[in-house]
Amino acid sequence: MTRLGLAALAAACLAAPAIADDERGTEIRLGVTAHDLADHVEDGPNITVDALFASPDFLEAIWSPRPYLYGSFNTNGLTNFGATGLAWNWAFSENWNFEFRTGLSYNDGVEDIDPNSPPDDPTRIRLATTRSLMGNEILFHNAIGLDYDLNDHWSVGAYYEHISHGQILASGRNQALDNAGIRVGYRWGR
């Protein structure tokens, strides 16, 4: 997944002139994602809520990303997470936009299995077979998305996101989560 993140970052950097012209204002998005696509250990869709804000002037030096707040809530009561960071937008045609975002997230998932528990411990077996072992509460949040502007206010899109510690924010377990989904957004203040 690191290669995908680096490729998306490179694409965002190459698109800097188009990104710098983006004045998308404030936006609220609601979505639904398929949860844990890579490992398929955790199940159930996630409901997502996303708030993106107009880029402040001091971020012009890094191509005017929009700050974001994001929440992802699992409908089966498994790993939920919230994230914050920066989102770069590249309008590559009149109505189509590519987005790359990066930030930090906090999750309520299982960090790891107790190393002192015996191999036949029922709790150990249940956690190993039903939960992604995140390795840390604080993880990186990276996402790419493709959105279509229906008009000046409404958009629809699809996106992919990845949360993990990448052996940087922690060491050891790093099963991470990969989610993909669809979203609808409402924008104002353009």
Side-chain angles (χ1 to χ4, degrees):
M1 292 304 136
T2 304
R3 289 181 188 160
L4 179 61
L6 290 174
L9 180 59
C13 289
L14 292 173
I19 294 170
D21 294 337
D22 184 34
E23 296 195 13
R24 300 182 68 76
T26 302
E27 187 171 3
I28 299 294
R29 295 176 180 161
L30 298 175
V32 62
T33 63
H35 182 75
D36 195 20
L37 295 174
D39 293 326
H40 303 291
V41 176
E42 295 193 358
D43 199 10
N46 283 21
I47 304 300
T48 64
V49 179
D50 200 4
L52 293 103
F53 306 96
S55 183
D57 291 341
F58 70 87
L59 292 177
E60 284 181 15
I62 57 171
W63 308 298
S64 301
R66 294 190 294 167
Y68 72 87
L69 293 173
Y70 179 80
S72 183
F73 308 96
N74 185 263
T75 58
N76 282 353
L78 299 173
T79 303
N80 305 295
F81 65 94
T84 187
L86 298 173
W88 286 264
N89 186 270
W90 174 51
F92 61 89
S93 78
E94 186 173 333
N95 295 87
W96 288 99
N97 301 281
F98 173 78
E99 180 184 86
F100 168 74
R101 63 172 61 189
T102 189
L104 293 175
S105 68
Y106 174 83
N107 72 84
D108 65 358
V110 177
E111 286 187 39
D112 204 347
I113 298 172
D114 180 1
N116 298 318
S117 64
D120 61 346
D121 177 47
T123 301
R124 179 187 187 106
I125 294 168
R126 179 181 56 80
L127 291 176
T129 57
T130 63
R131 299 300 301 267
S132 287
L133 304 175
M134 306 306 291
N136 200 21
E137 292 175 334
I138 306 295
L139 303 172
F140 292 112
H141 177 247
N142 296 301
I144 56 173
L146 184 64
D147 295 292
Y148 181 80
D149 292 335
L150 299 170
N151 57 39
D152 285 344
H153 298 287
W154 291 96
S155 66
V156 294
Y159 65 107
Y160 163 84
E161 65 186 352
H162 176 78
I163 64 169
S164 72
H165 62 68
Q167 302 297 328
I168 297 170
L169 297 175
S171 60
R173 293 285 186 164
N174 187 27
Q175 287 183 332
L177 285 176
D178 293 286
N179 302 332
I182 56 173
R183 61 191 178 197
V184 62
Y186 181 78
R187 181 173 56 248
W188 68 92
R190 245 175 132 159

